[in-house]
Amino acid sequence: MEAKLRGVVLTAIAPVAWGTNYFVTHEFLPADHPLYGAALRALPAGLVLLLLCRKRPRGAWWWRSAVLGVLNVSVFFVLVYVASQLLPTSVAATVMAVAPLAMMLMAWPLVSERPAVPHLAGAVLGLGGVCLMLLTGAERVSLPGVLASAVAMVVSSFGYILAKRWNDGTDVLASTAWQLVAGGLFLLPAAVLVEGQPPALSVPALLAFAYVTLVATALAFTVWFAGLRQLPAGTVGLIGLLNPVTGVLLGTVLAAESLTVRQMAGLALVLTGVMLGRPQASSRKAAGRAAGWWRATGSTRPRFRARPARCSTPPTGPRSARARTPDR
């Protein structure tokens, strides 16, 4: 269980980093170059991870990396950028808060993970908490923006579960690097064709890109995919609800905004939903840990098997006499 809790804490780094990513992108990165912004976020992050792992795809991972790169990087990054331009943060975050439910429903047929009742309850509570924190009823709702946000949520949820299904023991650092490089390579020619020359970047923009690349992309996606391998999809999806929580708390700290009673109630609901998603130790897992303990200690696990009863009357006859005679 301690290993699972460590996995939860490490996985939580991803949504927290993504929660800060919106503020950095909105404040410092060019707003009219979504394709270049996505490419400059994905490709350098993938190359950094590739230098660290020094592994290239083999076999099926050539086409798997391309598929996951398109879903989790190319399409997702661009759609999120478009949604952030057309929608207020509150509406976009509320649409993305449906992701835990989407991941649970997709994990059922794809990786045979049936949604647990606490996970479903946590997803409902988390979605309600996000609505309480962010929706005020005064937001301007753009139908194309909502559609872009909804498609981004579905595409990324499917990509995450697909990455979990294709887990064959490949190094998570390498598989994350391959996805980011593939997604960036798909984005770069599209950016050149559609947006022309790359934008001129100031020093603050370069520093912002460095943060987005190293922290909000390379580190965040590595721990996210590592969490998907170790934890149930429902748990990982609920951890993702920390994204809007981070956005609210960041606004409170940096913009000196005060938390209202409604926002605090929503925050409590979201955290309750995340807690409901924590992994539970089942009896089968407990038995597996017990077996692992016996192997780790070098002891032989006791086996209770019935032994044949010994005959109380000693055997007779010449053969038994020879058996009782000691060898010389």
Side-chain angles (χ1 to χ4, degrees), residues 49-72:
L49 295 181
L50 201 59
L51 288 175
L52 292 176
C53 67
R54 297 181 180 274
K55 293 179 182 178
R56 64 178 183 177
R58 293 183 178 181
W61 272 104
W62 283 104
W63 64 267
R64 288 179 180 177
S65 301
V67 172
L68 294 176
V70 169
L71 294 175
N72 295 331

Side-chain angles (χ1 to χ4, degrees), residues 184-324:
L185 290 177
F186 284 123
L187 285 167
L188 195 57
V192 174
L193 291 174
V194 176
E195 298 177 356
Q197 294 292 329
L201 300 178
S202 61
V203 174
L206 289 173
L207 294 176
F209 263 121
Y211 172 81
V212 169
T213 296
L214 297 177
V215 178
T217 305
L219 175 62
F221 275 91
T222 299
V223 297
W224 183 257
F225 287 123
L228 277 170
R229 293 189 177 191
Q230 300 175 5
L231 302 170
T235 298
V236 178
L238 289 172
I239 293 174
L241 292 173
L242 295 176
N243 187 336
V245 171
T246 303
V248 171
L249 295 180
L250 193 64
T252 303
V253 173
L254 296 181
E257 299 174 358
S258 60
L259 283 175
T260 65
V261 175
R262 177 176 174 173
Q263 286 179 320
M264 288 188 289
L267 180 62
L269 283 179
V270 171
L271 295 180
T272 302
V274 174
M275 291 299 296
L276 286 175
R278 70 186 188 277
Q280 301 290 337
S282 63
S283 57
R284 181 176 296 181
K285 292 180 180 179
R289 287 197 302 271
W293 182 86
W294 283 101
R295 289 192 296 269
T297 55
S299 305
T300 303
R301 190 175 182 179
R303 298 179 181 270
F304 300 97
R305 294 181 297 180
R307 296 182 178 179
R310 295 182 178 180
C311 182
S312 58
T313 305
T316 57
R319 187 173 182 180
S320 61
R322 286 196 302 270
R324 291 194 302 271

Side-chain angles (χ1 to χ4, degrees), residues 34-223:
L35 292 173
Y36 271 116
L40 293 176
R41 175 185 177 185
L43 191 56
L47 293 176
V48 168
L49 295 181
L50 201 59
L51 288 175
L52 292 176
C53 67
R54 297 181 180 274
K55 293 179 182 178
R56 64 178 183 177
R58 293 183 178 181
W61 272 104
W62 283 104
W63 64 267
R64 288 179 180 177
S65 301
V67 172
L68 294 176
V70 169
L71 294 175
N72 295 331
V73 179
S74 301
V75 176
F76 178 64
F77 282 9
V78 173
L79 287 176
V80 166
Y81 193 97
V82 171
S84 66
Q85 296 297 320
L86 298 178
L87 292 175
T89 308
S90 56
V91 177
T94 302
V95 175
M96 293 300 296
V98 187
L101 284 173
M103 290 179 64
M104 292 179 205
L105 295 178
M106 292 180 185
W108 195 349
L110 290 179
V111 294
S112 301
E113 287 186 4
R114 186 174 182 177
V117 174
H119 289 178
L120 292 173
V124 173
L125 286 176
L127 178 59
V130 171
C131 292
L132 277 178
M133 281 193 303
L134 300 178
L135 293 182
T136 62
E139 291 86 357
R140 178 181 59 86
V141 177
S142 166
L143 183 58
V146 171
L147 183 61
S149 186
V151 173
M153 181 270 298
V154 173
V155 166
S156 62
S157 298
F158 178 68
Y160 296 153
I161 300 302
L162 207 57
K164 185 177 181 68
R165 177 183 174 87
W166 288 340
N167 175 24
D168 56 1
T170 303
D171 181 32
V172 67
L173 196 67
S175 62
T176 306
W178 302 335
Q179 292 181 54
L180 291 171
V181 170
L185 290 177
F186 284 123
L187 285 167
L188 195 57
V192 174
L193 291 174
V194 176
E195 298 177 356
Q197 294 292 329
L201 300 178
S202 61
V203 174
L206 289 173
L207 294 176
F209 263 121
Y211 172 81
V212 169
T213 296
L214 297 177
V215 178
T217 305
L219 175 62
F221 275 91
T222 299
V223 297

